[in-house]
Amino acid sequence: EPEVTQTPSHQVTQMGQEVILRCVPISNHLYFYWYRQILGQKVEFLVSFYNNEISEKSEIFDDQFSVERPDGSNFTLKIRSTKLEDSAMYFCASSLQGTREKLFFGSGTQLSVL
Amino acid sequence: RKEVEQDPGPFNVPEGATVAFNCTYSNSASQSFFWYRQDCRKEPKLLMSVYSSGNEDGRFTAQLNRASQYISLLIRDSKLSDSATYLCVPSTGGSYIPTFGRGTSLIVHP
């Protein structure tokens, strides 16, 4: 069964450093998402991406965040200058036909900012 | 009013029990509904999709009541492996973004 893959599974960084989280969505999917989940809290939407541009973003997704689809397979989330409160599990998801259809999630990247 | 409201639980049930969760939603334009389950520190995984009045898949049954704007999930013959958080996600399509609440926590004990 096709799956969304994310790397790395764990990322430890120092406050103020830049991190790039990587995702490979399912190959024929057209819609891509990033969510995050702080320990003990709910899954929060960050950004959606379609047709090579951001389609929606939340208040969390400020100027410190950016997304990119550098080639036909990867979808990345960059955090320019990490803060302690960015520590969370970051999930990438994709769907075939947008939000009418189910989301397939990757197994996540646990980001720890020290 | 929140988009989705679910009883956070936890629902603590013995193996073999039948348990039901309700989810009320505020957007009457919601067209499709999804139940996800999330294990501790894991990604949400789709459990069931509901596009009409309901859906059944083995031990799991989802029922939709559009008039009252709620959707339920029934789990029969609970297994230990059913222990997880169950998340209800309505969708209206278009640019609507799937948002997740805190879900309902289920603990199945021996």
Side-chain angles (χ1 to χ4, degrees), chain A residues 35 37 39 99 102-103 106, chain B residues 36 38 41 43 46 91 96 98:
Chain A
Y35 286 81
Q37 187 173 30
L39 187 62
T99 57
K102 57 196 175 220
L103 299 183
Chain B
Y36 290 82
Q38 185 179 26
R41 302 180 72 81
E43 74 275 22
L46 183 76
S91 171
Y96 183 78

Side-chain angles (χ1 to χ4, degrees), chain B residues 12 17 24-25 36 52 56 59 61 69 71 73 86 88 102:
Chain B
N12 204 319
T24 57
Y25 59 95
Y36 290 82
S52 58
E56 184 172 331
R59 297 183 295 110
T61 301
Q69 291 185 211
I71 182 168
L73 178 67
Y86 290 83
C88 165
R102 291 186 174 274

Side-chain angles (χ1 to χ4, degrees), chain A residues 15 41 50 69-70 75 95 97 113:
Chain A
M15 190 170 57
Q41 299 187 22
Y50 170 72
R69 187 155 165 82
F75 179 51
S95 68
Q97 295 180 0
V113 182

Side-chain angles (χ1 to χ4, degrees), chain B residues 48-81:
Chain B
M48 296 188 76
S49 306
V50 184
Y51 298 103
S52 58
S53 61
N55 193 7
E56 184 172 331
D57 183 5
R59 297 183 295 110
F60 300 86
T61 301
Q63 289 190 318
L64 171 62
N65 184 320
R66 289 190 187 274
S68 301
Q69 291 185 211
Y70 78 82
I71 182 168
S72 63
L73 178 67
L74 180 79
I75 305 175
R76 290 180 294 277
D77 189 23
S78 300
K79 312 290 184 191
L80 296 177
S81 57

